[in-house]
Amino acid sequence: MTILDRIRVGSAPDSWGVWFADDPAQVPWDRFLDEVADAGYPWIELGPYGYLPTDPARLGDELARRDLCLSAGTVFTALHRGPAVWDATWAQVARVAALTRALGAAHLVVIPEFWRDPLTGERTDAERLSAAGFAELAAGMERLGRRVREEFGLRVVVHPHADTHIDDEESVTRFLDATDPDAVALCLDTGHYAYCGGDSVRLIETYGERIGYLHLKQVDPGVLADVAERRLPFGPAVRRGVMTEPPAGVPALPPVLAAAQELGVDLFAIVEQDMYPCPPDRPLPIARRTRRYLARCGA
């Protein structure tokens, strides 16, 4: 068994079916904290801003009494729309970054805006950006990365995501080639990348210097084939179980973790199994089994 001593494993509200700051279908935030600690994960992400308490002192106390630490905050952005959205984007980013920094984390996960509504499938943007739109996206992410670093000391890690403009191998490598490594790194989500046909091991081996953070996730290939045939949006795909508990899906995680270990840098590997919405008693047993599985992998 490979000893993965550069990999720091954690989890996130997403693995408890949390997609929104306030939704009666989701588990209460204090139950999430109790259960993620019980499952053996020392690191967590903020999840959607407002789900966990936003007062730094209160949240710090809640984490400390459960021996939890924060690895990152998360924001969605629509920077492909150019300078017109910058001020609103920065206002949103700054509040998340401030809380993230106050809790001692060093990363901000930035996800591009969806091109269709993840729940209803309503088209809200073009599926593929024009050359000008992609240039705005790359330039906007660079600007954001530099300012977040300058004002908050956080590293921006851009998260390729299904139904966004950075999703498959072509768009991910194009984005990496178009951006400054000093400004932005990549949050490689193994599930989303597989969902869009990408090979995580190959990406790590080819663009290893750009990998700044990992999300560990697996896709059920059978469900994915049906989703692709029906061209379903991401939300209905999740409700069909497209994201599955490891080791039942793809990609195989041991090769991904081994490739990440070979980079020779400390990396967070945050487990995310999209399950919105889900029964409140479902996440904890899965989280426990997943943590035991990752321990058997050496993490």
Side-chain angles (χ1 to χ4, degrees), residues 250-291:
V250 296
L253 294 182
V256 173
L257 292 167
Q261 173 74 16
E262 285 296 313
L263 296 177
V265 297
D266 292 334
L267 283 173
F268 283 108
I270 304 301
V271 175
E272 282 197 330
Q273 184 181 340
D274 289 284
M275 292 193 290
Y276 178 87
C278 69
D281 294 331
R282 185 180 177 215
L284 179 57
I286 293 175
R288 286 172 173 159
R289 290 192 297 267
T290 301
R291 186 66 195 96

Side-chain angles (χ1 to χ4, degrees), residues 9-20 25-29 31-33 35-37 39-41 43-48 51-52 74 159 161 189-192 213-218 234 238 243-246 253 269-291 294:
V9 173
S11 192
D14 187 42
S15 291
W16 267 255
V18 175
W19 277 10
F20 303 102
Q26 300 173 166
V27 298
W29 65 266
R31 178 172 176 176
F32 159 69
L33 291 181
E35 292 188 354
V36 75
Y41 296 95
W43 298 94
I44 66 161
E45 293 182 353
L46 278 180
Y51 174 66
L52 296 177
T74 302
H159 182 321
H161 195 293
D189 185 304
T190 60
H192 281 280
Y213 200 91
L214 297 174
H215 279 171
L216 300 181
K217 189 178 300 180
Q218 286 192 323
F234 186 62
V238 167
M243 298 301 178
T244 190
E245 176 183 346
L253 294 182
I270 304 301
V271 175
E272 282 197 330
Q273 184 181 340
D274 289 284
M275 292 193 290
Y276 178 87
C278 69
D281 294 331
R282 185 180 177 215
L284 179 57
I286 293 175
R288 286 172 173 159
R289 290 192 297 267
T290 301
R291 186 66 195 96
L294 292 173

Side-chain angles (χ1 to χ4, degrees), residues 49-67:
Y49 183 83
Y51 174 66
L52 296 177
T54 56
D55 175 72
R58 183 184 181 194
L59 182 54
D61 287 344
E62 295 287 352
L63 297 181
R65 68 186 186 87
R66 296 172 174 88
D67 294 321

